[in-house]
């Protein structure tokens, strides 16, 4: 056998005649090679540990992962049956778990292709750069602006820089006494973590929950946790039995002996890289109730427990699913009275049976329901007598749709939230998740506008039909690519703000 590894450079200049990459060429000229199959191991085994040395425990788990038992064998080309049988015996895999795939098993080489094809401009999307948010004014402290009015960043259309500037500003602010944050997936060279280190080095209290069970980011998180601890941050490593998936940051000032809270709640990770390629929302507010609730969340995490109740925030696992059900019931009551009732939800997946049953109940009562579910959806819309009032679309485009939005009702009475949680049982009952209410009228209008544009997308959207199939949305309406539309708006607003500031 001929083994290849990371030292063997994968060719990205494709063979013009055969269209083969490095692995294909090796396979063409060698009888039996290891590059011809991929060994998939079980890397999602449950992790339970009461050991106080949790980081060391996770390091051991990562080492074990490389030696875990294979669960399937994937072949990219035909191999002699005798060789396949030997491989199955060697890896203790049943023959039914052997799969053949005509595509390359390792697609990582695709990322290198772009550098070889830059001269082929027709193969690339038009260049898009996250824009400076018009909600922030240059030359003024970020925290001061948030205190005056809530702010919302919509990634990747808006730049993440105002959030990063807020952290650096807090690190130097003499009135700031602490920063608390949950970290799930961060960038390899994380400016977020560097800002937290800067804060601790300036003598302020920094509490960081680093989720070491963030799948395939464990090693990166372990390394950052070491650096945070070395800088003097207090680092905790999640809860037994629960992943901490919330995106929560709390900055506390001491003003004349009283706490003043600045809270950021997001739908996506504190990651500068994904902020350029995922669609996410980031709400920044000085609302005191939200701040107190966020502080309760961190106090519970530091005590290795979960929040039992919360006034403003929805906090899984104890007070998110039940509150969502209550708000669905409120819309059902409106419909039964003959009043306008509406539910709009944008999430990645819908599998929570309790919520699905409530949505079906709402549909039967006449509530209009619009769902933008990018991935798994276990609810079938358009079934007469059951879900005929439910519309489900999936938008898959240039950027990964990742934001979560909950809307219950219409107009001023609507309850609007952004959240870290999908409507999956693992999110609503087995993770620590946070959804935040949106109170600012302008931001509420902005979120509803974005949701309506997504539901009107007829370029990237597919609609789920009652037979379970997704059908490309085709109509005679104006063509709307929601992602490109939001980017165009971001460019227009940034240019308008620049013209105003230049006067």
């Amino acid at each position: 056998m001929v083994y290849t590894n990371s030292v063997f450079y994968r060719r990205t200049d494709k063979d013009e005649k055969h269209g083969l990459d490095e692995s294909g060429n090796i396979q063409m000229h060698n009888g039996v090679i290891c590059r011809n199959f991929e060994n998939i191991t079980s890397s999602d085994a449950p992790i339970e540990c009461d050991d106080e040395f949790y980081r060391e425990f996770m390091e051991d788990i990562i080492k074990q992962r490389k030696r875990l038992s294979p669960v399937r064998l994937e072949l990219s080309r035909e191999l002699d049956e005798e060789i396949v049988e030997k491989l199955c015996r060697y890896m203790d895999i049943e023959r039914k778990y052997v799969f053949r795939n005509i595509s390359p098993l390792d697609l990582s080489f695709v990322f290198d292709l772009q550098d070889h094809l830059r001269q082929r401009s027709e193969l690339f999307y038009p260049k898009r750069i996250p824009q400076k948010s018009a909600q922030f004014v240059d030359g003024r402290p970020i925290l001061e602006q948030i205190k005056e009015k809530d702010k919302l960043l919509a990634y990747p259309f808006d730049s993440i820089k105002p959030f990063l500037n807020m952290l650096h500003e807090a690190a130097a602010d003499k009135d700031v006494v602490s920063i608390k944050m949950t970290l799930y997936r961060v960038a390899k060279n994380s400016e977020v973590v560097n800002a937290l280190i800067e804060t601790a080095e300036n003598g302020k209290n920094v509490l960081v929950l680093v989720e070491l069970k963030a799948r395939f980011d464990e090693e990166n998180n372990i390394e950052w946790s070491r650096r945070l601890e070395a800088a003097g941050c207090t680092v905790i490593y999640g809860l037994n039995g629960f992943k901490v998936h919330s995106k929560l940051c709390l900055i506390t000032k001491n003003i004349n002996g009283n706490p003043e809270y600045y809270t950021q709640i997001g739908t996506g990770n504190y990651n500068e890289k994904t902020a350029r390629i995922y669609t996410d929302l980031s709400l920044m507010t000085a609302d005191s109730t939200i701040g107190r609730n966020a502080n309760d969340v961190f106090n519970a995490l530091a005590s290795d427990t979960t929040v039992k109740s919360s006034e403003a925030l929805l906090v899984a696992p104890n007070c998110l699913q039940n509150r969502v059900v209550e708000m669905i019931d409120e819309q059902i009551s409106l419909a039964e009275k003959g009043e306008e009732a509406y539910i709009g939800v944008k999430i990645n997946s819908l599998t929570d049976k309790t919520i699905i049953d409530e949505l079906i109940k709402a549909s039967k009562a006449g509530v209009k329901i619009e769902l933008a579910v990018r991935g798994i959806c276990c609810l079938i819309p358009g079934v007469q007598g059951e879900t005929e009032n439910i519309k489900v679309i999936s938008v898959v485009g240039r950027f990964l749709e990742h934001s979560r939005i909950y809307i219950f009702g219409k107009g001023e009475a609507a309850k609007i939230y952004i959240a870290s949680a999908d409507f999956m049982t693992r999110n609503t009952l087995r993770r620590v998740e946070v959804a935040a209410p949106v109170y600012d009228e302008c931001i509420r209008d902005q979120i509803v506008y974005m949701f309506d544009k997504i539901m009107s997308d007829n370029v990237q959207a597919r609609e789920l039909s009652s037979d379970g199939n997704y059908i490309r949305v085709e109509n005679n309406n104006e063509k709307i690519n929601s992602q490109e539309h939001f980017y165009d708006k971001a460019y227009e607003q940034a240019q308008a703000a620049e013209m105003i500031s230049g006067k």
Side-chain angles (χ1 to χ4, degrees):
M1 289 190 177
V2 178
Y3 287 86
T4 66
N5 54 37
S6 58
V7 177
F8 195 111
Y9 177 67
R10 177 183 280 277
R11 279 186 56 194
T12 53
D13 49 333
K14 295 286 187 174
D15 184 291
E16 291 295 330
K17 182 177 180 181
H18 300 290
L20 296 176
D21 58 69
E22 160 259 325
S23 62
N25 280 312
I26 293 176
Q27 291 167 31
M28 179 180 289
H29 299 293
N30 290 276
V32 181
I33 62 166
C34 281
R35 200 59 176 144
N36 205 39
F37 67 85
E38 183 173 31
N39 170 21
I40 307 298
T41 61
S42 177
S43 57
D44 201 20
I47 297 171
E48 298 290 342
C49 177
D50 296 323
D51 195 331
E52 62 178 320
F53 302 107
Y54 192 63
R55 187 172 63 199
E56 287 76 9
F57 173 78
M58 285 302 302
E59 288 176 320
D60 290 339
I61 288 291
I62 292 169
K63 291 176 183 177
Q64 292 175 27
R65 173 182 290 171
K66 298 174 182 178
R67 302 190 299 273
L68 292 174
S69 300
V71 296
R72 73 176 184 266
L73 178 66
E74 293 186 1
L75 308 175
S76 60
R77 281 174 173 74
E78 291 292 334
L79 280 180
D80 183 90
E81 284 300 316
E82 182 180 352
I83 298 299
V84 174
E85 293 298 330
K86 286 182 179 180
L87 289 171
C88 288
R89 288 196 301 271
Y90 177 74
M91 288 183 267
D92 194 23
I93 293 178
E94 294 183 45
R95 191 65 176 78
K96 64 182 179 180
Y97 296 120
V98 176
F99 301 90
R100 287 184 171 81
N101 196 331
I102 61 173
S103 64
L105 298 177
D106 179 8
L107 292 171
S108 61
F109 72 93
V110 174
F111 291 103
D112 295 327
L113 281 175
Q114 59 182 337
D115 295 328
H116 294 261
L117 297 172
R118 281 297 175 192
Q119 68 278 14
R120 300 282 301 279
S121 59
E122 73 275 11
L123 299 177
F124 291 83
Y125 284 111
K127 187 174 182 179
R128 291 290 203 179
I129 300 174
Q131 296 296 292
K132 183 173 69 174
S133 172
Q135 295 189 28
F136 291 92
V137 178
D138 289 340
R140 291 188 58 203
I142 298 291
L143 294 178
E144 181 181 295
Q145 296 184 60
I146 294 171
K147 186 176 181 179
E148 289 180 357
K149 190 178 187 300
D150 292 355
K151 307 295 183 184
L152 183 76
L153 296 176
Y155 307 140
F157 321 108
D158 295 329
S159 169
I160 193 176
K161 285 185 178 180
F163 173 71
L164 298 175
N165 292 341
M166 180 187 73
L167 294 179
H168 288 297
E169 178 185 306
D173 191 317
K174 63 181 179 58
D175 292 327
V176 170
V177 294
S178 69
I179 297 181
K180 301 175 182 179
M181 184 179 287
T182 58
L183 296 182
Y184 193 77
R185 301 186 194 277
V186 296
K188 295 294 183 183
N189 300 305
S190 175
E191 188 175 344
V192 171
V193 178
N194 287 332
L196 295 175
I197 291 172
E198 176 189 355
T199 305
E201 290 175 344
N202 286 344
K204 303 179 189 300
N205 179 27
V206 178
L207 173 69
V208 187
L209 187 141
V210 180
E211 182 50 81
L212 296 186
K213 297 193 292 284
R215 192 156 54 115
F216 300 123
D217 269 335
E218 300 96 337
E219 291 180 85
N220 189 43
N221 287 359
I222 286 171
E223 179 57 32
W224 279 121
S225 70
R226 283 201 184 95
R227 293 186 58 182
L228 287 163
E229 284 186 345
C233 302
T234 299
V235 180
I236 52 181
Y237 299 109
L239 306 177
N240 270 330
F242 298 97
K243 273 188 178 181
V244 180
H245 189 251
S246 57
K247 324 302 180 187
L248 190 61
C249 174
L250 178 66
I251 297 171
T252 304
K253 285 187 176 185
N254 184 342
I255 305 297
N256 299 321
N258 297 312
E260 187 173 274
Y261 296 120
Y262 297 82
T263 313
Q264 183 275 341
I265 309 97
T267 66
N269 296 302
Y270 298 114
N271 188 311
E272 300 92 299
K273 181 179 179 181
T274 58
R276 299 176 67 90
I277 56 177
Y278 290 11
T279 73
D280 273 306
L281 298 173
S282 174
L283 175 68
M284 289 169 275
T285 179
D287 183 87
S288 58
T289 304
I290 290 177
R292 287 196 304 272
N293 287 175
N295 196 47
D296 292 340
V297 172
F298 284 108
N299 287 340
L301 293 174
S303 303
D304 198 31
T305 186
T306 56
V307 168
K308 304 304 179 186
S309 63
S310 180
E311 183 180 351
L313 299 180
L314 312 182
V315 187
N318 298 314
C319 44
L320 189 147
Q321 185 199 67
N322 58 337
R323 298 272 293 278
V324 168
V325 169
E326 288 173 5
M327 287 185 281
I328 295 174
D329 284 338
E330 289 172 359
Q331 296 306 306
I332 292 174
S333 296
L334 290 175
E336 289 174 344
K337 295 175 186 177
E339 300 178 25
E340 184 180 29
Y342 175 79
I343 297 170
V345 175
K346 180 180 183 295
I347 48 179
N348 297 332
S349 298
L350 173 59
T351 65
D352 187 313
K353 188 176 185 302
T354 298
I355 293 178
I356 289 173
D357 288 343
E358 279 293 312
L359 291 173
I360 294 172
K361 180 181 173 183
S363 173
K364 289 181 177 179
V367 179
K368 179 182 178 181
I369 302 171
E370 294 182 316
L371 306 176
V373 185
R374 170 174 54 83
I376 301 167
C377 182
C378 294
L379 184 153
I380 299 296
V383 177
Q384 287 301 312
E386 298 287 335
T387 60
E388 68 267 30
N389 291 312
I390 301 178
K391 176 182 178 181
V392 179
I393 68 163
S394 172
V395 173
V396 178
R398 174 178 182 177
F399 306 104
L400 180 72
E401 290 291 339
H402 195 256
S403 57
R404 287 91 165 187
I405 298 169
Y406 313 158
I407 303 172
F408 300 94
K410 287 280 191 177
E412 293 182 0
K415 296 180 179 179
I416 302 174
Y417 293 80
I418 67 165
S420 63
D422 294 312
F423 286 168
M424 305 177 74
T425 304
R426 73 175 190 183
N427 297 93
T428 57
L429 297 179
R430 296 199 295 273
R431 289 184 175 183
V432 176
E433 305 272 11
V434 171
V438 180
Y439 297 138
D440 183 88
E441 184 177 347
C442 293
I443 295 178
R444 287 165 60 88
D445 290 344
Q446 179 183 352
I447 290 174
V448 170
Y449 173 84
M450 294 183 74
F451 183 82
D452 288 345
K453 281 297 178 184
I454 291 167
M455 293 303 302
S456 301
D457 194 310
N458 55 7
V459 176
Q460 301 175 120
R462 272 77 171 170
E463 184 171 354
L464 181 59
S465 62
S466 59
D467 62 5
N469 291 314
Y470 284 89
I471 300 171
R472 183 183 289 275
V473 174
E474 294 182 352
N475 51 46
N476 295 323
N477 299 334
E478 177 188 359
K479 291 296 182 184
I480 298 176
N481 179 327
S482 57
Q483 293 181 353
E484 291 300 318
H485 175 81
F486 297 144
Y487 240 129
D488 289 340
K489 286 292 184 182
Y491 273 86
E492 290 173 9
Q493 291 169 1
Q495 289 168 3
E498 187 175 347
M499 290 178 63
I500 293 172
S501 64
K503 289 182 179 179

